[in-house]
Amino acid sequence: MTRTISARRGKLRGVDADDAYEHLQRGFRWRVPARFNIGQACGRRWARARPDAVAIRWEHEDGRAGSASYGALQRDADRLAHALRGLGVARGDRVAIVMAQRVETAVAHLAAYQLGAVAMPLSMLFGPDALEYRLRDSGAALALADETSIANLLAARVSCPALRHLVAVGAAQGSGDADYAGLLARQRGDAVDAVATRADDPAVLIYTSGTTGPPKGALIPQRALIGNLSGFVCSQDWFPHTADGRPAVCWSPADWAWTGGLMDALLPTLYFGREIVAYQGRFGPQRAFELMQRHRVTHSFLFPTALKAMMKAVPDPRRDYPGLALQAVMSAGEAVGDAVFGYGRDALGVAINEMFGQTEINYVVGNCGRWRDARGLWHAGWPQRPGSMGRGYPGHRVAVIDDEGRECARGTPGEIAVHRRDRHGDPDPVFFLGYWGRDDATRAKFSGDPADSWCRTGDTAVMDDRGYLWYQGRADDVFKVAGYRIGPSEVENCLVKHPAVANAAVVPRPDPERGAVVKAYVVLAPGQVGDAALVEQLQRHVRGKLAPYEYPKEIEFVAALPMTTTGKVQRRVLRVQEEERARRGRADTPPAG
């Protein structure tokens, strides 16, 4: 029997639902127009239809706050587009955007898309070397930077001859070639003559985080936003609808310079004409709850690292923050694990929808708590299985394949892959165009005919008999101990369940007799002391819950784990460190505790 939610009363009622997964998959078809422009879809159409509706509500950690309507957002985007065109930015030029979550960041994206230029978001956390590599590799013509990044941009610019202009924003004004406010003030207010882009035209260039080698620029087409929408809607429990009829409000701490912040939060929220919260400041668990309570946030993308910190710092958020209005949470970037899933269910009151995707093929796998039919009735989605990544979202054909590109039997480990065509034979719009200047890497990403092939993710998983994927790790993170394959995420999830552990990363430590043993790097929760007694306690904890060969033979306590700027643990850094220690005879290994 189908469980329904009364849209009028906003209350869940009924009994457990049948699995709606196949129903949604069979009825889903892609409708991608020949011409499509992200700037028009996310900005101009709402500026015409609902000009006074709030698009972005922003806060700065220093206490400043404000909002921007869709009408104001589009007016500034038109003025900036005129200014950029006057500075020589043409169709196809790369425009670097190196700013925090702020209104000007969204304006820069909309302006670039309307010009047919390629927006290149770069993290404000990048130092001069990281910026120089990406600016040089892409041949970026212009950059916009605020006070979080201007100093590093100026240092990097010396070695980037293609970078003709640097526009300074906010408190950085006066440090670049031109000031953002001055540029806009000098422009006429009429709508820009936007380029009529094709759906296949490039829109965004995002550099991968480099967890498995030098960063590569993934060129994303205009149509990719459409390809993201089925996953976004499902993972946010049928965004923008809410069970109680209140307006949907989205917030995520994910940097808008990354796929997670840009394609999983900012752009899809604007596509649906809803409100997104922008926060400029450092993430903190209590601050996150305060922000969500203050702005009545209904939908959020919270990566596992953030959720783990929130779980440890605020065990009972509904007691401490009674104004929370959360109705859906998506999480991605690392395996969520059942400890974090349980926190979402029991403490936040939401079943966390885990999602999996990559910059190259984003939002392809995940869960969906509920969906709404054409009559306005709510139905249960497909049941979340704690620890599982979920299933392929509507419109995406997902499988686990072997080294030869053949689909693996259910229950057999392999590499997660997404096919160029959906189950109806239609092209999947989510696919990237290729790696910037790296045709070899683009070809290596696919298995078979480029037009009708599997795209490899480099992540390993098992697919069960109902199509749920169970993550094992990056292909280069999975390792063997005494002939057993070890997926680090399972051990890490077990460690995090212990109250003394705030975060953990598991890697192989080379061993002359056994080849490798399991090594855990552990970040302690506040107030905990890492000593030999705790090492033994954690080993017993894991040994009692997982297979005997999975418990960490060695535990090292560290202040922090190496992370990418997207919040992913860089196990590769720790693995290389262990290999180097082994070569030196482990003389520099710190004692546990």
Side-chain angles (χ1 to χ4, degrees), residues 495 501 503-507 509 518-524 530-531 534-535 538-539 552-561 574 577-578 581 586 588-593:
L495 284 166
V501 178
N503 208 352
V506 168
V507 297
R509 173 174 71 75
V518 179
K519 164 78 178 277
Y521 284 82
V522 169
V523 178
L524 293 173
D531 54 20
L534 182 57
V535 168
L538 293 176
Q539 289 174 328
K553 298 291 192 299
E554 183 177 319
I555 294 176
E556 182 175 332
F557 299 112
V558 293
L561 297 173
L574 300 174
Q577 177 176 289
E578 288 301 315
R581 286 175 174 176
R586 305 193 61 78
D588 62 341
T589 304

Side-chain angles (χ1 to χ4, degrees), residues 303-305 333-334 563-569:
F303 36 86
T305 306
E334 290 280 324
M563 310 285 282
T564 69
T565 49
T566 58
K568 297 179 185 177
V569 176

Side-chain angles (χ1 to χ4, degrees), residues 40-71:
Q40 300 279 27
C42 295
R44 191 174 305 283
R45 69 177 174 133
W46 296 115
R48 289 170 176 164
R50 300 168 57 231
D52 297 327
V54 173
I56 300 174
R57 200 173 296 278
W58 61 271
E59 277 193 29
H60 193 284
E61 62 183 353
D62 65 9
R64 288 178 291 134
S67 65
S69 68
Y70 275 94

Side-chain angles (χ1 to χ4, degrees), residues 11 26 85 96 128 264 290 337 363 417 519 592:
K11 294 182 179 178
R26 283 195 304 270
R85 187 171 277 166
D264 302 354
E290 291 166 3
Y363 245 129
K519 164 78 178 277

Side-chain angles (χ1 to χ4, degrees), residues 420-485:
R420 284 271 197 184
R421 295 185 179 276
D422 66 12
R423 61 164 59 186
H424 301 292
D426 297 327
D428 186 337
V430 82
F431 279 82
F432 77 133
L433 295 170
Y435 293 116
W436 185 262
R438 294 286 306 276
D439 291 343
D440 56 336
T442 302
R443 287 191 296 270
K445 187 74 173 170
F446 294 90
S447 177
D449 179 0
D452 187 27
S453 58
W454 292 104
C455 182
R456 295 181 174 275
T457 64
D459 290 274
T460 58
V462 171
M463 182 179 284
D464 67 20
D465 58 358
R466 296 192 67 195
Y468 284 85
L469 287 161
W470 300 83
Y471 188 72
Q472 291 198 316
R474 288 291 300 173
D476 58 349
D477 283 339
V478 175
F479 58 95
K480 284 189 176 182
V481 169
Y484 295 102
R485 288 170 63 89

Side-chain angles (χ1 to χ4, degrees), residues 159-414:
S159 302
C160 301
L163 190 63
R164 301 190 300 268
H165 300 284
L166 178 55
V167 178
V169 180
Q173 294 185 113
S175 303
D177 305 326
D179 289 342
Y180 177 89
L183 278 178
L184 265 61
R186 292 194 294 271
Q187 305 306 313
R188 61 185 189 273
D190 57 321
V192 71
D193 182 17
V195 172
T197 54
R198 296 172 301 153
D200 279 331
D201 283 347
V204 187
L205 183 63
I206 300 184
Y207 279 78
T208 60
S209 54
T211 54
T212 58
K216 298 185 293 291
L219 191 59
I220 312 299
Q222 302 279 349
R223 58 170 160 77
L225 177 58
I226 297 175
N228 275 252
L229 293 179
S230 68
F232 176 74
V233 169
C234 287
S235 74
Q236 294 291 354
D237 286 357
W238 226 247
F239 190 95
H241 302 288
T242 55
D244 55 8
R246 75 176 64 203
V249 178
C250 183
W251 171 72
S252 173
D255 189 344
W256 291 354
W258 293 108
T259 305
L262 185 67
M263 304 298 283
D264 302 354
L266 175 64
L267 292 182
T269 301
L270 297 182
Y271 177 88
F272 285 109
R274 293 314 193 263
E275 178 182 324
I276 189 164
V277 175
Y279 180 71
Q280 189 175 346
R282 292 178 60 85
F283 173 83
Q286 288 88 354
R287 190 171 292 167
F289 280 115
E290 291 166 3
L291 196 72
M292 291 192 292
Q293 178 181 250
R294 187 158 50 250
H295 295 290
R296 306 291 288 168
V297 170
T298 58
H299 297 77
S300 184
F301 161 33
L302 296 167
F303 36 86
T305 306
L307 281 165
K308 289 173 186 176
M310 295 163 76
M311 178 174 68
K312 297 294 181 179
V314 188
D316 192 353
R318 285 188 288 184
R319 179 199 65 197
D320 298 338
Y321 301 93
L324 283 179
L326 272 178
Q327 297 193 18
V329 171
M330 182 275 282
S331 191
E334 290 280 324
V336 169
D338 53 0
V340 173
F341 184 87
Y343 175 71
R345 179 194 59 218
D346 302 332
L348 294 176
V350 297
I352 296 169
N353 288 319
E354 184 163 355
M355 184 277 283
F356 169 81
Q358 295 186 320
T359 301
E360 300 89 338
I361 40 171
N362 189 44
Y363 245 129
V364 290
V365 171
N367 289 300
C368 177
R370 59 192 178 201
W371 62 281
R372 190 173 188 255
D373 67 22
R375 298 168 297 169
L377 295 176
W378 288 90
H379 307 267
W382 52 96
Q384 294 96 342
R385 294 186 173 187
S388 167
M389 301 160 64
R391 297 153 135 177
Y393 278 125
H396 305 302
R397 181 181 162 195
V398 181
V400 171
I401 65 173
D402 61 19
D403 292 343
E404 306 303 319
R406 298 180 298 243
E407 291 191 50
C408 297
R410 297 294 173 95
T412 303

